[in-house]
Amino acid sequence: MDSYNIDSHKLIYHVDRVNDWLNGKDIFPISFDLGVIGVCNHNCIFCGLDYTRNKQIMPYDVVEKLIGQSARYGVKSIMLAGEGEPLLHKKINDIVKLIKHSGIDISLSTNGVLMDEDFLRKSLRRFTWIRVSLDAGKPSTHAHLHGTQKSDYAMVLNNLEHAVRIKKEEKLQTTIGAQFILLDENAGEAELTAKKLGKIGVDYLSIKPYSKHPLSKNSAGSSIDYSKMGFIKEKVEKFSTKDYKVIFRDQAMRKNSSPKVYNKCLSMPFWAYIAATGDVYGCHIFVGNKKHSFGNLNNDSLYKIWKGAERKRLMLFYKNELNIRNCRKMCRLDSLNEYLWKLKNPHPYVNFI
């Protein structure tokens, strides 16, 4: 059972913001992804943002201004992710502390290599959740998929063990999870990965389909037929316990080969992507394309960008001209769009509850 709602959405918990949107108000996002650095220590063959690689590092003073404004205008959560590996930023512990102390919930998506004991001792307690990308059951497969050396695999497992131990020692509520992108190259190791992570004691393992970014240079997973991957579900979910959940995202697998049930992307007002360059985007699919940047935090405040003419112009374009059939097959915001589409386009029987 997916108790974390990974395959769903959480807009049902933000009724006031949804009502404001329904009433035509220009709302601030509930959540955004923050890329604090454009450099990565891995070169994953499935990376959706491989085409955006840059050497940009977001200055701490820019982050500081951004977080202050975000808290003031009702942003509820920030995920440290982005074009690169967040833990490569030299002031990452200061950034984590800043976000948490502002009253904003914080999470982390990482390849786990730099998630060492020093970082965990300083920052683990401040995260609502952390998620490590672990897409193999063997060092050789991990090295191939992540474009790195075999020794990194043991480092990631060791760091997860540190995280679990520190969580128990300090009695933390932080959720420690892992994500496994199912590909032809690693499908035979999903069961082994689930078994290993269960022994380590993480809270969950999520197994999801690969969804190619339209601009990505990578082609991993382009030949896999997810309709034939259902047999893996039973193999991996047998390792689930009261404290450890293996979540085989079969709903996402089905959506990967099914047409979208909505005609417009309606979720952009609720979420944003902020790149290491300082550019603010309404969707991760446009990251790196300056024509789709609402504005840049190195030049303007978040408020000025969000309320500015360029964002208004682009939002009209997305509303009236964007063809979502050209979007990523399995969009992160897919469940939000389904929900919002139903709100905007109710069927005649809604009163028969």
Side-chain angles (χ1 to χ4, degrees):
M1 181 180 177
D2 179 11
S3 57
Y4 299 101
N5 281 352
I6 293 174
D7 244 351
S8 185
H9 67 89
K10 290 96 177 174
L11 275 185
I12 56 174
Y13 302 107
H14 301 279
V15 176
D16 291 346
R17 199 80 59 102
V18 173
N19 277 337
D20 285 345
W21 172 78
L22 281 170
N23 290 324
K25 292 185 179 179
D26 186 20
I27 62 170
F28 267 87
I30 295 170
S31 177
F32 62 76
D33 285 9
L34 176 59
V36 292
I37 191 165
V39 182
C40 194
N41 52 345
H42 281 188
N43 187 23
C44 300
I45 69 171
F46 51 79
C47 179
L49 292 173
D50 59 305
Y51 69 95
T52 65
R53 284 286 179 261
N54 58 66
K55 295 184 179 180
Q56 293 289 330
I57 301 173
M58 185 174 284
Y60 182 76
D61 64 322
V62 174
V63 178
E64 197 170 24
K65 291 176 184 176
L66 167 66
I67 301 308
Q69 293 166 23
S70 299
R72 193 176 311 133
Y73 298 118
V75 173
K76 302 293 185 182
S77 72
I78 294 173
M79 180 169 78
L80 294 175
E83 314 96 282
E85 168 53 50
L87 301 189
L88 283 169
H89 198 291
K90 291 183 179 179
K91 295 185 75 69
I92 189 63
N93 288 301
D94 295 320
I95 291 172
V96 172
K97 182 179 180 180
L98 174 68
I99 296 172
K100 186 61 178 178
H101 282 198
S102 73
I104 296 174
D105 290 341
I106 179 172
S107 65
L108 170 69
S109 178
T110 174
N111 59 44
V113 174
L114 300 175
M115 195 179 72
D116 56 19
E117 187 160 4
D118 179 66
F119 168 77
L120 292 166
R121 289 289 181 190
K122 291 176 179 176
S123 293
L124 182 62
R125 65 184 180 275
R126 297 190 170 104
F127 287 103
T128 301
W129 55 264
I130 59 172
R131 183 182 67 216
V132 172
S133 179
L134 189 72
D135 307 279
K138 299 175 182 178
S140 57
T141 309
H142 182 264
H144 167 64
L145 295 178
H146 280 245
T148 188
Q149 59 269 23
K150 292 181 182 179
S151 57
D152 274 10
Y153 186 72
M155 291 175 65
V156 175
L157 293 181
N158 191 49
N159 288 340
L160 281 169
E161 289 176 352
H162 287 324
V164 171
R165 188 185 72 253
I166 292 169
K167 175 180 177 177
K168 290 178 179 178
E169 287 176 1
E170 300 185 9
K171 296 181 173 57
L172 305 179
Q173 297 300 311
T174 305
T175 299
I176 300 169
Q179 179 172 276
F180 183 105
I181 295 180
L182 189 62
L183 303 164
D184 282 324
E185 293 92 332
N186 64 6
E189 297 176 24
E191 187 176 0
L192 178 59
T193 306
K195 183 178 181 180
K196 285 185 176 182
L197 290 173
K199 287 183 177 180
I200 289 173
V202 302
D203 295 300
Y204 75 85
L205 168 65
S206 169
I207 299 177
K208 63 174 284 188
Y210 169 78
S211 179
K212 180 177 170 59
H213 192 294
L215 299 179
S216 175
K217 300 173 185 177
N218 294 324
S219 58
S222 57
S223 62
I224 191 167
D225 185 353
Y226 287 108
S227 68
K228 298 180 180 178
M229 292 293 114
F231 70 97
I232 295 177
K233 178 181 173 72
E234 185 176 348
K235 286 187 175 183
V236 297
E237 288 187 346
K238 69 183 180 184
F239 294 104
S240 289
T241 66
K242 180 173 68 71
D243 300 314
Y244 169 57
K245 303 301 178 186
V246 181
I247 303 163
F248 185 82
R249 296 183 58 185
D250 43 2
Q251 181 176 325
M253 306 275 181
R254 290 192 297 272
K255 284 184 177 181
N256 201 57
S257 57
S258 302
K260 299 185 186 301
V261 299
Y262 48 90
N263 296 328
K264 300 288 182 182
C265 181
L266 302 175
S267 58
M268 289 189 197
F270 296 91
W271 180 85
Y273 185 106
I274 300 177
T277 57
D279 287 299
V280 180
Y281 299 93
C283 177
H284 62 281
I285 206 166
F286 298 122
V287 175
N289 187 338
K290 295 286 186 179
K291 292 181 179 179
H292 288 274
S293 172
F294 296 158
N296 191 289
L297 293 169
N298 293 294
N299 305 319
D300 293 307
S301 68
L302 178 63
Y303 183 88
K304 188 174 181 179
I305 292 170
W306 202 258
K307 298 293 184 179
E310 187 62 12
R311 177 176 172 269
K312 289 180 181 178
R313 183 188 70 79
L314 284 168
M315 291 300 287
L316 282 174
F317 168 79
Y318 300 144
K319 178 181 178 181
N320 299 320
E321 299 181 49
L322 178 67
N323 184 356
I324 64 166
R325 307 305 166 193
N326 298 326
C327 290
R328 207 170 189 167
K329 283 186 178 180
M330 187 56 228
C331 174
R332 278 181 59 177
L333 305 176
D334 189 68
S335 294
L336 274 73
N337 277 321
E338 287 186 359
Y339 174 68
L340 294 171
W341 184 259
K342 289 178 182 177
L343 288 179
K344 280 283 192 179
N345 301 276
H347 60 68
Y349 311 134
V350 294
N351 291 333
F352 296 89
I353 60 173

